Amino acid sequence: MSIHYLAKHHLDHGEVKCLAISPDKRYLAKAGRYPGLAVLEHKGAEGFKPIKQLEADAQCCAFSPDGCFLAFGGKTVTLLSLPSLKPAGKLKLSNKEPISALAWSPDSTTLAAAAETKHHQSELAIWELASNTTVKRSTEYFSKGEYSRPRIIHSMRFFPDGQRLAVTAWGDSFGVFVYDLRDESISRPSPKPIAMLHDTKDVALLEGGKELLVNIRMIGGGSPIVEEYAGQLIRWRLEGNTVSKLKTPEGYRLWSFALHPKGEHIALCAQKTDEESGLIDDKALLLISLKDGGARRIVGADELEGIVAYCFSADGSWLAVAGEHNRLIVYES
């Protein structure tokens, strides 16, 4: 992939938590601290111009795949119609903190939202837009047997069938699972310690949902198997329920990743490490080949200090990256 600058922009205020690009690449949305939501419109050679702001404390935003809605997660989920950006509906959860994750079904008929409740549990809501009905599940439901509760759901992805959700979470030994909306069953990876890793973050679907890619940030126990996979990107193949590690550059601490829509590469936010002094470089964004693990540097501290959020456009031709001090760079491939 060849990548070059498309535009640079300075976001007016607020910490950036999440970026999203509309399917037609007309809009770019930012969620974070005040203003919670900022929507920018792409004006060609003029770059990006702010056109909408909502005051709130937010963690996430997501455009529907059909390009008709923008979902924004503050204390509630606010749905905005496109292109008018007028309110189109709200969803309330029993949350203590802002909505932590959003996911659209491929046909844009269902929106999943998750948040931490006042009892330090996680609540997952499945919102059917056509009938305006909502099914909610708490971590009391998700914890079964030897597995304890997830407190914060970090990310979710719908499978192509729109009937299953891949979920990653932080909690007491509860990391990754697949939730089937049809029979409300839960699947976890094997061996069991992998499912019980303390903190998993991003999740992506490979091969049309036959395999999941998950990053493991922390460990949740002293098991040798857990120790082996901690701080890694793991591939969970659902058929056969097997787990393997993805090859990534040595000498880096992994923070987060985003899958390129064509499924051949990931953008990986990582930080160089040294055995004696620990972290020795600011976060950089690397492009990693899923085929052979080959890596190239896209964004470094010389261009964007403190990478905090990034995303690909639906067609994979844009990569938007936000850094500290509200700087935004959009690359085109």
Side-chain angles (χ1 to χ4, degrees), residues 145-206:
E146 68 272 34
Y147 297 93
S148 55
R149 308 167 186 167
R151 279 187 53 190
I152 300 174
I153 290 178
H154 281 308
S155 71
M156 302 182 289
R157 295 288 183 272
F158 269 97
F159 283 74
D161 59 17
Q163 298 298 319
R164 292 172 296 159
L165 268 176
V167 181
T168 62
W170 175 87
D172 298 326
S173 304
F174 196 109
V176 55
F177 62 97
V178 172
Y179 174 51
D180 195 315
L181 280 63
R182 293 164 295 193
D183 60 8
E184 299 179 345
S185 62
I186 302 224
S187 305
R188 299 182 178 90
S190 181
K192 286 181 181 179
I194 299 300
M196 298 171 68
L197 284 159
H198 183 66
D199 189 2
T200 60
K201 190 171 186 290
D202 305 298
V203 61
L205 276 65
L206 306 177

Side-chain angles (χ1 to χ4, degrees), residues 19-321:
L19 293 173
I21 300 170
S22 64
D24 61 1
K25 296 187 293 190
R26 179 178 175 181
Y27 303 108
L28 188 151
K30 160 258 170 182
R33 296 193 181 275
Y34 298 92
L37 178 72
V39 182
L40 293 80
E41 186 173 11
H42 185 230
K43 297 288 189 178
E46 298 178 44
F48 291 87
K49 303 295 181 184
I51 59 171
K52 180 82 172 181
Q53 289 187 357
L54 290 177
E55 299 295 332
D57 185 3
Q59 299 279 354
C60 50
C61 57
F63 288 95
S64 60
D66 63 7
C68 292
F69 298 104
L70 169 60
F72 157 61
K75 282 290 187 178
T76 62
V77 178
T78 300
L79 210 57
L80 302 177
S81 292
L82 295 173
S84 68
L85 291 173
K86 292 182 178 179
K90 281 186 180 290
L91 173 66
K92 175 64 178 173
L93 279 75
S94 310
N95 46 315
K96 169 189 174 186
E97 302 294 337
I99 305 295
S100 61
L102 293 167
W104 284 98
S105 63
D107 61 5
S108 302
T109 62
T110 305
L111 179 64
E116 181 184 357
T117 71
K118 60 184 178 181
H119 301 297
H120 301 293
Q121 298 176 11
S122 208
E123 184 177 45
L124 174 62
I126 308 298
W127 185 9
E128 298 287 349
L129 269 64
S131 59
N132 197 25
T133 57
T134 307
V135 176
K136 295 181 182 179
R137 290 289 181 190
S138 73
T139 49
E140 292 287 351
Y141 172 80
F142 293 127
S143 6
K144 293 184 177 180
E146 68 272 34
Y147 297 93
S148 55
R149 308 167 186 167
R151 279 187 53 190
I152 300 174
I153 290 178
H154 281 308
S155 71
M156 302 182 289
R157 295 288 183 272
F158 269 97
F159 283 74
D161 59 17
Q163 298 298 319
R164 292 172 296 159
L165 268 176
V167 181
T168 62
W170 175 87
D172 298 326
S173 304
F174 196 109
V176 55
F177 62 97
V178 172
Y179 174 51
D180 195 315
L181 280 63
R182 293 164 295 193
D183 60 8
E184 299 179 345
S185 62
I186 302 224
S187 305
R188 299 182 178 90
S190 181
K192 286 181 181 179
I194 299 300
M196 298 171 68
L197 284 159
H198 183 66
D199 189 2
T200 60
K201 190 171 186 290
D202 305 298
V203 61
L205 276 65
L206 306 177
E207 296 185 48
K210 295 179 181 178
E211 197 172 26
L212 301 187
L213 183 64
V214 182
N215 63 322
I216 308 299
R217 301 202 304 180
M218 297 173 63
I219 56 176
S223 162
I225 298 176
V226 172
E227 295 284 351
E228 178 185 353
Y229 286 93
Q232 302 282 336
L233 288 175
I234 66 166
R235 301 177 74 143
W236 171 21
R237 191 158 190 85
L238 300 182
E239 184 179 347
N241 198 10
T242 58
V243 172
S244 61
K245 289 185 283 189
L246 177 72
K247 183 179 178 182
T248 54
E250 294 183 4
Y252 280 90
R253 178 177 178 181
L254 313 183
W255 290 94
S256 60
F257 76 90
L259 177 69
H260 188 277
K262 291 184 179 179
E264 299 171 354
H265 301 83
I266 59 169
L268 176 68
C269 184
Q271 197 167 7
K272 279 188 178 180
T273 62
D274 182 86
E275 290 184 2
E276 295 183 0
S277 55
L279 300 174
I280 60 173
D281 192 12
D282 206 346
K283 294 175 185 175
L285 202 59
L286 310 175
L287 192 66
I288 309 292
S289 168
L290 290 177
K291 184 177 181 180
D292 58 16
R296 56 171 292 202
R297 189 182 181 97
I298 305 175
V299 189
D302 53 332
E303 299 167 284
L304 205 61
E305 182 182 350
I307 294 168
V308 293
Y310 52 99
C311 70
F312 286 105
S313 60
D315 64 359
S317 64
W318 285 8
L319 173 63
V321 188

